[in-house]
Amino acid sequence: GIRCIDINNYPLKEEIDGAFTWDESRSSVCYIGAITSIRGVECLIDAMPHVNRNVCLDLVGPYTEPGLHGACQNRTGWKRVNDHGVVDRASVREVMKESLAGIVTFLPAPNHVDAQPNKMFEYMSAGIPVICSDFPLWKEIVQGHSCGLCVNPEDPSAIAAAINQLYADQEYAKSMGRNGWSAVLNKYNWTAEAPKLLALYKAVLGG
């Protein structure tokens, strides 16, 4: 029979920062990854006019849809966006480490709703709270570990309210960041997954 096993693409343990840090008061949120409509970028930009005016949005990643970059630049919230484009992994870590939260408000699509988003675990590994779509599987992770806020990804005002809540209470944001960081350290990391893969290879190769 066909062997089937879930191997999760979690962060590498050595990329998780050695100590949890949260120094200064933070005033930016970040979205990191491929930028597409189905990943909710327009709703996210539309949230920004409703966010405390001291807070900006760092967008890091490539626009992978024709015409989308221009459409984003025409939205009112764009003046609150720092558009970084594609940067190296070290720069991505820097952006995350200075963020109030990492955002993964993908719109409902089968491959979003039923999948664990790698990006969420990356934000957690950087010790920042997550603002994510309120899909049942994602809520289970985020609420189960008290490491972020779940929102309707199609509602800019709900996204804005979550950002404002974290900005207004940085101690709360910091505790969520710490919870996510601990969860990745103890559970959601590749070191924890690798033995499953090795066991599968052994079984397939007959021990």
Side-chain angles (χ1 to χ4, degrees):
I2 294 172
R3 291 170 190 275
C4 182
I5 183 169
D6 272 336
I7 303 291
N8 295 293
N9 188 14
Y10 294 146
L12 292 165
K13 209 159 185 174
E14 50 274 21
E15 284 202 344
I16 302 166
D17 300 318
F20 176 81
T21 53
W22 187 290
D23 343 300
E24 63 293 32
S25 60
R26 304 182 180 201
S27 57
S28 62
V29 291
C30 66
Y31 168 90
I32 289 162
I35 298 168
T36 62
S37 290
I38 195 69
R39 288 183 164 199
V41 67
E42 287 134 311
C43 292
L44 181 49
I45 294 169
D46 290 349
M48 292 312 294
H50 307 285
V51 170
N52 182 300
R53 60 189 168 79
N54 297 317
V55 181
C56 61
L57 167 65
D58 287 312
L59 286 182
V60 183
Y63 291 80
T64 55
E65 240 167 72
L68 181 62
H69 198 186
C72 287
Q73 290 169 316
N74 288 332
R75 303 183 98 82
T76 317
W78 183 258
K79 56 181 176 292
R80 306 275 293 278
V81 171
N82 299 322
D83 192 20
H84 294 262
V86 179
V87 300
D88 62 21
R89 279 189 81 77
S91 306
V92 167
R93 297 296 292 175
E94 276 312 300
V95 169
M96 287 196 291
K97 279 178 74 70
E98 289 164 15
S99 291
L100 174 66
I103 300 189
V104 54
T105 47
F106 291 5
L107 304 187
N111 63 331
H112 290 162
V113 174
D114 303 324
Q116 293 197 21
N118 301 336
K119 205 50 64 189
M120 181 193 290
F121 298 118
E122 227 174 291
Y123 294 144
M124 289 162 67
S125 77
I128 59 175
V130 177
I131 296 173
C132 72
S133 310
D134 55 2
F135 309 146
L137 176 64
W138 296 16
K139 278 171 84 166
E140 204 177 297
I141 296 166
V142 168
Q143 292 176 349
H145 292 283
S146 303
C147 63
L149 300 170
C150 304
V151 298
N152 173 354
E154 298 175 282
D155 181 355
S157 62
I159 298 169
I163 296 170
N164 286 333
Q165 187 181 347
L166 294 177
Y167 182 69
D169 189 348
Q170 299 241 346
E171 278 305 310
Y172 181 54
K174 178 181 179 176
S175 71
M176 286 187 155
R178 185 189 293 276
N179 290 343
W181 177 80
S182 300
V184 171
L185 212 56
N186 296 313
K187 181 176 182 182
Y188 302 111
N189 64 72
W190 177 242
T191 315
E193 291 296 289
K196 285 199 228 172
L197 191 58
L198 292 174
L200 176 68
Y201 287 156
K202 274 191 179 145
V204 169
L205 299 170

